[in-house]
Amino acid sequence: MMLGTPALSQNEFWKPLTRLPGLYPASIMITPVGSIFVATDSGLFRSTDDGESWQSVSSGLPSNQFYHQSDVLSMTYWGRQLIFVGTRTNGVYCS
């Protein structure tokens, strides 16, 4: 996963987020308060420092019963600080 920001040099717009757990990001969401959420094959993670560190927020979410990986496909933020997560095989969840 890469983060693009105009704060980098003129020749570098993208920098890798190498500390992100997992190899395959499926979905990314940024909330109005600046938290970044990323769903990977290893679970759902949140960063509150522009991707410098990540905390797992997968507790309560199922893994894919066939592949034993994270099942999250999409996320959306609702105005009362609620996050809805759609999964491949296990329905929709709300934080």
Side-chain angles (χ1 to χ4, degrees):
M1 175 152 303
M2 306 286 274
L3 172 68
T5 174
L8 297 174
S9 72
Q10 281 185 318
N11 297 329
E12 271 187 23
F13 188 74
W14 297 98
K15 71 175 185 176
L17 299 180
T18 55
R19 293 180 183 94
L20 180 65
L23 297 174
Y24 305 105
S27 183
I28 184 170
M29 178 185 67
I30 301 172
T31 68
V33 295
S35 293
I36 304 170
F37 289 83
V38 177
T40 74
D41 57 320
S42 295
L44 183 59
F45 298 90
R46 176 183 62 208
S47 174
T48 57
D49 57 8
D50 296 325
E52 292 298 318
S53 63
W54 297 91
Q55 301 82 39
S56 175
V57 291
S58 297
S59 180
L61 291 173
S63 62
N64 185 300
Q65 57 188 335
F66 301 107
Y67 303 109
H68 305 290
Q69 296 175 338
S70 175
D71 202 27
V72 175
L73 288 178
S74 64
M75 297 174 281
T76 191
Y77 179 85
W78 192 50
R80 295 188 308 181
Q81 298 183 359
L82 293 173
I83 296 171
F84 292 87
V85 173
T87 66
R88 179 176 292 120
T89 59
N90 292 293
V92 176
Y93 292 78
C94 177
S95 67

